[in-house]
Amino acid sequence: MKPTLVQALTLCAIPTVFAAAVPLSSTTHQKPVAQIKVITEPEGALKIPGHNNATYGPVPKAWQLFKIEFLEIAPSPIPVNRIFFTLLRGEISLSKTKDPAHLDKLLTSATLTITSSAILLNGDHEDTKSYTVPLRTTAFGPAHLSIRNATAYVEHLSSSGSNDILVDYWIPGIFLRTGTWTFEVVAELEDGTCLFAMSLTQWLEGRAKR
Ligand SMILES: *[C@@H]1O[C@H](CO)[C@@H](O)[C@H](O)[C@H]1NC(C)=O
Ligand SMILES: *[C@@H]1O[C@H](CO)[C@@H](O)[C@H](O)[C@H]1NC(C)=O
């Protein structure tokens, strides 16, 4: 499923979209929907390196501060009722930073927003749900998130050197309705700068009927 412009805007502040949309509307007679497609479709197809089925988006890769080296998801596709792990490795592109001196401070209040939606077996749409958690070494619900640099476990991402974000999690099938699920994960700074944004669509089989 392609991310909508509205989703992209809610997840990260990206005024550039408007700048990009203006020349399109003045040179063509396409409807707004067509413009959105022109802007987001090529990005949606860009695969994230590593063993995963995720793509960059809804915020385009070019606007993401965190340069992803790889994302491993194991097992992949993600199972139901079983713990799975994700390991994201990368580093901050300092060349894209407006204010490197304050970046380490900003990184201590970074957040991670996970948005889920689904097209169910019967054609219904599952309501879009979003959760925001601090992007730091922490636990939320059944999940644990750990951050490491190249040599040690740490509390937050660092502006210099390699960063690992390791997550273990499980999806309980009892509450899950069967269908094609899309998960969007967006990490951002307090000022709205996007660290990384990724999208994963896959089939999940749950036991919830309603
Ligand atoms: C990616 O998705 C395809 C199609 O659903 C699947 O066959 C393949 O196993 C997936 N690969 C990974 C690494 O999840
Ligand atoms: C990793 O973090 C630890 C603890 O803050 C620090 O002492 C060490 O220098 C860091 N290592 C690297 C490679 O940045």
Side-chain angles (χ1 to χ4, degrees), residues 51-53 76-77:
H51 296 96
N52 66 74
N53 267 343
S76 185

Side-chain angles (χ1 to χ4, degrees), residues 149-154 158 160-161:
N149 65 20
T151 54
Y153 279 88
V154 292
S158 164
S160 65

Side-chain angles (χ1 to χ4, degrees), residues 50-53 73 75-78 200-202:
H51 296 96
N52 66 74
N53 267 343
I73 301 182
S76 185
I78 292 171
L200 173 69
T201 297
Q202 69 158 67

Side-chain angles (χ1 to χ4, degrees), residues 77-171:
I78 292 171
V80 172
N81 287 331
R82 229 188 105 179
I83 291 177
F84 66 91
F85 303 88
T86 68
L87 171 59
L88 178 69
R89 179 169 296 170
E91 56 183 271
I92 306 268
S93 307
L94 284 176
S95 58
K96 286 189 193 170
T97 316
K98 285 162 275 170
D99 193 358
H102 289 104
L103 188 58
D104 275 299
K105 186 166 184 303
L106 273 173
L107 283 169
T108 65
S109 59
T111 56
L112 199 62
T113 298
I114 300 126
T115 304
S116 67
S117 59
I119 298 168
L120 303 172
L121 197 52
N122 63 5
D124 282 357
H125 286 245
E126 184 76 64
D127 288 343
T128 299
K129 292 197 186 83
S130 282
Y131 306 92
T132 299
V133 296
L135 178 52
R136 54 171 298 156
T137 294
T138 187
F140 49 94
H144 300 86
L145 190 160
S146 318
I147 300 183
R148 305 184 301 209
N149 65 20
T151 54
Y153 279 88
V154 292
E155 288 292 308
H156 309 107
L157 293 180
S158 164
S159 65
S160 65
S162 156
N163 289 280
D164 285 357
I165 302 172
L166 184 62
V167 175
D168 57 273
Y169 189 60
W170 71 287
I171 298 172

